[in-house]
Amino acid sequence: MNLSAEIAYNLRVLGLAPGATPADVRSAFRRLARTCHPDVAGGQGAYRFQEITGAYTFLKGLTAEELRRFPSAGPERPSESDGSHWPDLFAWYRRRAERAEAEAEAAREAERREEERRARVRDERIDRVFARYEEALSERLARMEGAADRLQVRDIVSRLGSSVLAVRHLVLGSLGSLADRDEVLQAIGEVLCRWEVDDRTARLVAGLPLSAGSRRRLAEGLVRRADALPDCLISALLGLRMGKRPDPDLMDRYLGRVAPSGVALILRYWPEGVAPSNGALLHLIHQDDDRVLVPLLSAMKQRFPAAALRFRARLTALLEHPAPTVRVWSRALLPRPDGVQ
């Protein structure tokens, strides 16, 4: 059998047509090996696996040029001059040696897979043992940490109730995530309600990593003390500088109680298109302090202009206010003589 016929035969074994590429040979062998391997097909697939293994072993030793040229060239005519008409007496021995090598390779591959399987089983057993050990250790540590945590929380609550300002500062500065605990959050609220809130206390509380729910609960508990809270703490409690839409209802509850600087702060971040409650507006617009009136009238013009219609009489009276800015904003909110707003 000449080389062209040998190539064509082995291509047929792999189910390929003449002109196949080395990539086609590899793909065909892998596809057939998945179904013919003795581990999959059992003993009845052993001969077929040897056959495709021998074909693959022969073809993978050829170059892409040889694969493309020889099968398409057709069988070569025997030549009297070069003696190619004599049969290749060693072709059978070569094929048997190739098959033996392929079988040995298949046996080595099967042994390697079996070793990998045993290694996986061994690793899985070890992993299960370690997992049980880690679970038991985690449970024990959790119980120990829970007991230590309860002691730590009681100690924090006790020190937050200290009458010494420096002690309270020290505790507030070291709370971290414990500030979200219910007992600790309640103790913080009691500190802010019981003692005068200095700037450092306000900054420490404002910087606590509270969740949104904890921050709201703390803010709701401090509504009655809003007039005594510094602006930085009010901003943190209401979430004014956090890049999210603040809660108008909570802002409205603070708006009627905070100091003038707090009024300006809240109105600066008031959501557009939503007006404060009628009670809050009445409380603010009937004040004479220009620190309250100027931010109120400015916000009314820019954010909730429809509310101005309810206070036309008061706006007319404010045209006589001693502060020029108040008079300017009042005039801007009142309808013009021709009826155009």
Side-chain angles (χ1 to χ4, degrees), residues 260 263-265 267-268 289-300 304 329:
V263 172
L265 173 66
L267 289 175
R268 187 183 312 138
D289 192 341
D290 61 316
R291 295 175 300 171
V292 174
L293 290 173
V294 170
L296 173 64
L297 299 176
S298 173
M300 188 178 292
F304 40 91
W329 280 114

Side-chain angles (χ1 to χ4, degrees), residues 57 121 129 178 257 263 284:
T57 303
V121 172
V129 171
L178 287 174
R257 296 178 178 270
V263 172
L284 296 176

Side-chain angles (χ1 to χ4, degrees), residues 9-46:
Y9 168 76
N10 286 290
L11 286 174
R12 285 195 301 274
V13 169
L14 293 179
L16 297 173
T21 64
D24 297 333
V25 172
R26 285 193 301 272
S27 177
F29 172 70
R30 291 174 182 172
R31 173 173 52 78
L32 293 172
R34 291 192 189 99
T35 57
C36 299
H37 196 280
D39 289 348
V40 178
Q44 62 271 25

Side-chain angles (χ1 to χ4, degrees), residues 219-255:
E220 290 174 344
L222 294 172
V223 171
R224 295 180 181 275
R225 286 275 289 170
D227 59 335
L229 301 179
D231 291 350
C232 66
L233 183 54
I234 293 174
S235 176
L237 291 174
L238 300 181
L240 301 182
R241 295 189 176 97
M242 295 185 178
K244 297 180 181 179
R245 180 183 173 88
D247 183 2
D249 179 62
L250 190 58
M251 294 171 70
D252 187 83
R253 295 164 64 184
Y254 269 75
L255 193 58

Side-chain angles (χ1 to χ4, degrees), residues 100-115:
E101 176 63 24
E103 291 171 359
E105 179 64 25
R108 287 193 295 270
E109 178 67 17
E111 184 179 357
R112 183 184 65 80
R113 291 184 178 180
E114 177 62 20
E115 180 60 29

Side-chain angles (χ1 to χ4, degrees), residues 165-194:
L165 181 61
V167 174
R168 300 198 299 270
H169 286 168
L170 183 63
V171 178
L172 288 171
S174 60
L175 283 179
S177 60
L178 287 174
D180 254 339
R181 297 287 294 270
D182 291 339
E183 306 96 316
V184 178
L185 190 67
Q186 182 179 352
I188 294 171
E190 292 173 357
V191 167
L192 297 175
C193 289
R194 181 179 179 185

